Amino acid sequence: MTDPTAGSVDTDLLAEPRLVVEPGMAARVSAVAGPVLQGMGYRLVRIKISGEFGCTVQIMAERPDGSMQIDDCEAISRALSPVLDVADPIDRAYRLEISSPGIDRPLVRRSDFERYAGHLVKIEMAVAHQGRKRFRGTLGGVESDAVHLHRDDIRAGEDADVMLVMEDIADARLVLTDELIAESMRRGKAAERELKQNLGLEPPPPPHAKKSDPAKSNKPKPKLKPESKNAPKNTKEHRLAAERLRRGEIDPIEGD
């Protein structure tokens, strides 16, 4: 596993606070887990406590660039388990689960709403906006302290475009679409390639390497047949000259 803070990592992005946080017992776990993750170079995304297997504490985390590998989850689990045992934020036995946010991930930071502008989301408000708490639509970016949303769940007489204050959001989550899956695959391949290069398993691209132009066709060019050194003797012109010679119409010395 490589250090997620190695290289040029934006420290401001790493320390960016969450705007969507959990209440109650999950908040106590967050107070313990958050600083540990940040010290390791990861960002806390969400904490969920459920009654599965008696009690399960799921901690979603990611690198500042949004990627997450299995090795990262294992490293976090090894570092965080003894800290949680000492702090004891949960009053009963529990099962700790470390995971990535997933494709249809929750959006908890300002940079999340900026990064996924143009994608479909579901938002539930802690404080009602215009008399309602649930919204669905396409993210249109961030303006000041609010998120622009173009709704696809409007009723007659309602505005399609709304501005939702980020600090009033209780839950925001991406909706799984083909476009989101395609973007996630591109991000995953790029992160895997960078990881292999950092580990020395894959050489970096040479500085003189040229990127292919997608506007140009990649089809191989047809090979041109080389011109024959000796011109062909069986052309129509030669046949007519031979016929005239046979009839005595031209001087045989001229030939062909």
Side-chain angles (χ1 to χ4, degrees), residues 5-251:
T5 59
S8 57
V9 173
D10 190 336
T11 55
D12 292 335
L13 193 63
L14 182 62
E16 182 185 8
R18 293 188 302 155
L19 302 175
V20 181
V21 297
E22 308 82 7
M25 189 181 300
R28 296 199 296 269
V29 176
S30 173
V32 177
V36 174
L37 290 172
Q38 185 174 337
M40 297 178 66
Y42 299 96
R43 303 201 307 176
L44 174 63
V45 176
R46 178 61 65 86
I47 292 177
K48 181 180 179 181
I49 300 178
S50 66
E52 188 177 3
F53 301 109
C55 179
T56 297
V57 178
Q58 181 190 37
I59 297 179
M60 295 183 185
E62 65 182 359
R63 293 172 177 238
D65 62 0
S67 64
M68 192 69 169
Q69 306 292 332
I70 295 178
D71 290 347
D72 297 320
C73 295
E74 294 175 351
I76 291 173
S77 181
R78 289 193 299 269
L80 193 55
S81 293
V83 179
L84 289 174
D85 290 342
V86 173
D88 197 21
I90 301 179
D91 57 0
R92 59 182 181 273
Y94 61 89
R95 175 176 173 267
L96 180 63
E97 180 181 300
I98 309 296
S99 69
S100 68
I103 298 178
D104 52 344
R105 56 165 298 149
L107 308 177
V108 299
R109 291 178 170 86
R110 181 187 183 94
S111 60
D112 294 339
F113 291 99
E114 293 172 340
R115 177 181 295 175
Y116 291 99
H119 287 284
L120 192 63
V121 295
K122 289 182 178 179
I123 296 178
E124 185 169 348
M125 304 296 293
V127 179
H129 176 81
Q130 297 179 350
R132 63 181 297 145
K133 287 190 172 184
R134 293 182 179 178
F135 297 86
R136 173 190 160 112
T138 303
L139 278 178
V142 178
E143 297 180 19
S144 185
D145 62 344
V147 175
H148 176 261
L149 185 72
H150 183 74
R151 296 174 55 195
D152 66 359
D153 60 348
I154 58 173
R155 300 174 183 173
E158 293 182 336
D159 294 332
D161 294 291
V162 295
M163 298 296 295
L164 305 176
V165 178
M166 283 183 284
E167 292 185 352
D168 292 342
I169 295 177
D171 185 75
R173 187 175 294 273
L174 292 170
V175 177
L176 201 61
T177 61
D178 292 340
E179 293 78 11
L180 181 62
I181 294 174
E183 180 173 331
S184 177
M185 291 179 65
R186 286 194 297 269
R187 291 177 185 271
K189 289 180 179 178
E192 182 181 1
R193 184 166 55 251
E194 183 179 358
L195 177 62
K196 287 182 178 180
Q197 291 174 353
N198 291 337
L199 293 174
L201 301 177
E202 182 175 310
H208 61 275
K210 295 182 179 180
K211 294 183 179 180
S212 59
D213 186 354
K216 297 181 179 179
S217 174
N218 291 324
K219 293 181 179 179
K221 295 181 179 180
K223 295 182 178 179
L224 298 177
K225 295 182 179 180
E227 295 184 358
S228 175
K229 294 182 180 179
N230 299 321
K233 298 293 185 178
N234 193 28
T235 64
K236 182 178 180 181
E237 181 181 355
H238 288 89
R239 290 196 300 272
L240 291 175
E243 179 64 20
R244 289 197 300 272
L245 177 62
R246 186 181 65 80
R247 294 177 181 178
E249 295 178 359
I250 61 174
D251 189 348

